[in-house]
Amino acid sequence: MGVGKSTVGRLLAERLGVGYRDTDDDIVAAQGRTIAEIFVDEGEAAFRAIEKQAVRAALAGHEGVLALGGGAVLDADTRALLAVERVVYLSMDVEEAVRRTGLNAARPLLAVNPRKQWRELMEARRHLYEEVATAVVATDGRTPEEVTRSALDALEMKQA
């Protein structure tokens, strides 16, 4: 959350001359409501089921850069699909997350005691991010352009 996946994803797509897609945007468009509203109205389990289908559809139908929500890797089937893809895990520490997002209430999993919850989420998820990652790129204190260059270098991809 707040790591810059949308900004860096768009820059990567631009540099590579391909399209950009974000499964969070797909979910909001398909559901006609925000992710926070889905969490409140139906709960996390229902959201994760929606997310799983959105990721599956996007991986099957999109050839460019695809940004996934932070919880997408929780699903084993999704991780299996990602195993054959080039995946960049954008990492950052909690202090950077606070600086970038303020860890505000618009993020449903961080509504109470956001620093503690962010740390707990990362402890629970980091190994899953690393499991699917082709490359890990730190974003702390770096511009989106620097992160994009590092991602391209890590993936050994040439810019279009």
Side-chain angles (χ1 to χ4, degrees):
M1 291 179 244
V3 75
K5 70 178 177 72
S6 298
T7 301
V8 171
R10 284 185 184 95
L11 286 170
L12 276 172
E14 179 182 305
R15 303 288 190 288
L16 294 169
V18 298
Y20 169 80
R21 185 170 173 179
D22 186 322
T23 57
D24 285 351
D25 293 341
D26 291 350
I27 292 166
V28 169
Q31 295 293 311
R33 54 196 167 143
T34 68
I35 290 170
E37 289 170 332
I38 298 168
F39 265 79
V40 169
D41 295 345
E42 298 182 41
E44 183 176 1
F47 172 76
R48 295 296 172 209
I50 294 166
E51 180 180 52
K52 178 179 180 174
Q53 293 309 313
V55 171
R56 179 179 297 280
L59 285 169
H62 182 70
E63 296 292 324
V65 174
L66 181 63
L68 306 182
V73 298
L74 296 173
D75 181 76
D77 293 337
T78 297
R79 291 193 308 276
L81 291 173
L82 293 173
V84 298
E85 303 292 341
R86 289 183 176 176
V87 177
V88 177
Y89 162 35
L90 300 178
S91 69
M92 71 178 169
D93 68 21
V94 69
E95 296 312 317
E96 185 78 0
V98 169
R99 187 183 69 73
R100 290 185 188 185
T101 68
L103 296 180
N104 60 40
R107 302 192 184 270
L109 292 178
L110 302 177
V112 178
N113 196 348
R115 284 178 195 249
K116 180 177 182 261
Q117 288 179 302
W118 190 91
R119 280 189 182 101
E120 289 173 358
L121 282 173
M122 284 308 299
E123 286 171 12
R125 295 177 179 179
R126 183 174 287 114
H127 73 283
L128 299 174
Y129 296 148
E130 291 170 349
E131 176 186 321
V132 301
T134 307
V136 179
V137 177
T139 65
D140 302 82
R142 302 173 79 191
T143 67
E145 292 77 15
E146 291 169 331
V147 173
T148 301
R149 276 194 301 276
S150 291
L152 289 167
D153 289 347
L155 295 171
E156 298 180 13
M157 299 177 82
K158 296 191 185 320
Q159 297 183 27

